[in-house]
């Protein structure tokens, strides 16, 4: 049992929660390549996820690579909107398909805002679960389910316009959450 000070008073629930978070941070720092795998039976993985196949820029051995999200590891430095890198300190994924074999994922098709003139500019696509946060054109966070056609989102090349939204059903094993120290990263060059 955890005790507080010399009076041997038990810690409150909040103090226990804070102590557990600090212990987890210390453990991750000691083992930077450790990947956290959660097996949750009662609910889908996390509150916000993107597809394993979505691309992320990572710095390894002083070289920048673009890799699928499933190749990101604890301790990797991933690119953020400001062009800097932020260390990944938590990865959440599930390898048990029976947890949720049919999770809806919102697929957003976007074009750079300047593309209103150039119809041939490349399309940007990102897949997010409905609760995943994404930055709008003003830099405010929104849940993916709040985005609509013609909304503006932030990308590596500037703002982009949402041109299409569709739903794709994926197994929970095809999704993951990556958390960085900065609290954001670029996925398919979109700020999330």
């Amino acid at each position: 049992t955890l005790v507080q000070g010399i009076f041997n008073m038990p810690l409150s629930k909040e103090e226990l929660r804070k102590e557990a978070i600090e212990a987890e941070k210390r453990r991750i720092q000691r083992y930077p390549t450790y990947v956290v795998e959660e097996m949750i039976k009662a609910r889908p993985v996390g509150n916000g996820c993107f597809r394993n196949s979505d691309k992320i820029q990572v710095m390894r051995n002083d070289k920048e690579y673009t890799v699928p999200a499933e190749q990101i590891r604890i301790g990797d430095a991933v690119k953020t909107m400001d062009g800097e890198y932020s260390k990944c300190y938590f990865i959440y994924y599930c390898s048990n398909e029976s947890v949720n074999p049919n999770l809806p994922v919102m697929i957003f098709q976007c074009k750079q805002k300047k593309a209103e003139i150039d119809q041939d500019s490349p399309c940007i696509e990102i897949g997010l679960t409905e609760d995943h946060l994404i930055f709008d054109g003003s830099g405010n966070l929104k849940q993916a389910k709040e985005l609509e056609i013609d909304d503006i989102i932030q990308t590596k090349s500037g703002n982009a316009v949402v041109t299409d939204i569709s739903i794709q059903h994926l197994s929970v094993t095809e999704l993951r959450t990556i958390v960085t120290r900065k609290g954001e990263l670029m996925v398919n060059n979109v700020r999330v």
Side-chain angles (χ1 to χ4, degrees), residues 10-20:
L11 295 173
S12 69
K13 283 185 179 181
E14 181 62 21
E15 290 167 321
L16 284 170
R17 187 186 70 76
K18 286 179 181 177
E19 180 63 30

Side-chain angles (χ1 to χ4, degrees), residues 144-158:
K145 65 185 171 192
E146 297 173 323
L147 284 181
E148 298 177 359
I149 302 285
D150 294 329
D151 278 356
I152 308 294
I153 61 170
Q154 289 187 345
T155 71
K156 176 182 172 182
S157 305

Side-chain angles (χ1 to χ4, degrees), residues 117-135:
I117 301 166
D118 179 9
Q119 296 300 320
D120 295 329
S121 70
C123 184
I124 300 166
E125 179 185 292
I126 186 167
L128 302 169
T129 53
E130 63 181 15
D131 292 330
H132 199 288
L133 296 175
I134 186 167
F135 288 86

Side-chain angles (χ1 to χ4, degrees), residues 5-180:
I6 58 171
F7 300 106
N8 292 334
M9 295 174 61
L11 295 173
S12 69
K13 283 185 179 181
E14 181 62 21
E15 290 167 321
L16 284 170
R17 187 186 70 76
K18 286 179 181 177
E19 180 63 30
I21 289 170
E22 289 304 314
E24 181 66 7
K25 285 180 183 176
R26 288 189 301 274
R27 184 188 61 73
I28 287 171
Q29 288 171 350
R30 278 195 314 260
Y31 304 103
T33 58
Y34 183 80
V35 177
V36 178
E37 181 175 354
E38 297 285 338
M39 304 296 279
I40 297 178
K41 296 183 174 121
R43 64 181 177 84
V45 80
N47 287 331
C49 301
F50 43 84
R51 301 172 295 185
N52 286 339
S53 59
D54 286 332
K55 304 290 190 242
I56 297 173
Q57 289 178 308
V58 61
M59 182 69 72
R60 292 181 180 152
N61 301 320
D62 296 323
K63 285 184 113 178
E64 184 176 277
Y65 300 92
T66 301
V67 299
E70 65 190 341
Q71 291 181 14
I72 298 296
R73 301 292 176 247
I74 299 291
D76 278 347
V78 298
K79 198 162 216 174
T80 61
M81 180 69 173
D82 59 10
E84 299 293 318
Y85 290 87
S86 183
K87 290 245 182 195
C88 170
Y89 73 91
F90 186 77
I91 297 173
Y92 186 94
Y93 66 97
C94 185
S95 59
N96 183 356
E97 189 164 319
S98 66
V99 170
N100 194 337
N102 197 24
L103 193 65
V105 175
M106 300 181 78
I107 308 299
F108 298 96
Q109 302 282 332
C110 309
K111 288 221 175 216
Q112 291 304 129
K113 199 167 183 189
K114 60 186 174 196
E116 295 165 357
I117 301 166
D118 179 9
Q119 296 300 320
D120 295 329
S121 70
C123 184
I124 300 166
E125 179 185 292
I126 186 167
L128 302 169
T129 53
E130 63 181 15
D131 292 330
H132 199 288
L133 296 175
I134 186 167
F135 288 86
D136 69 14
S138 300
N140 298 313
L141 285 168
K142 283 183 143 180
Q143 288 184 316
K145 65 185 171 192
E146 297 173 323
L147 284 181
E148 298 177 359
I149 302 285
D150 294 329
D151 278 356
I152 308 294
I153 61 170
Q154 289 187 345
T155 71
K156 176 182 172 182
S157 305
N159 289 341
V161 179
V162 176
T163 58
D164 187 50
I165 302 171
S166 61
I167 302 292
Q168 180 182 22
H169 291 273
L170 298 174
S171 163
V172 72
T173 60
E174 298 174 85
L175 302 168
R176 68 186 47 230
T177 297
I178 295 174
V179 180
T180 67

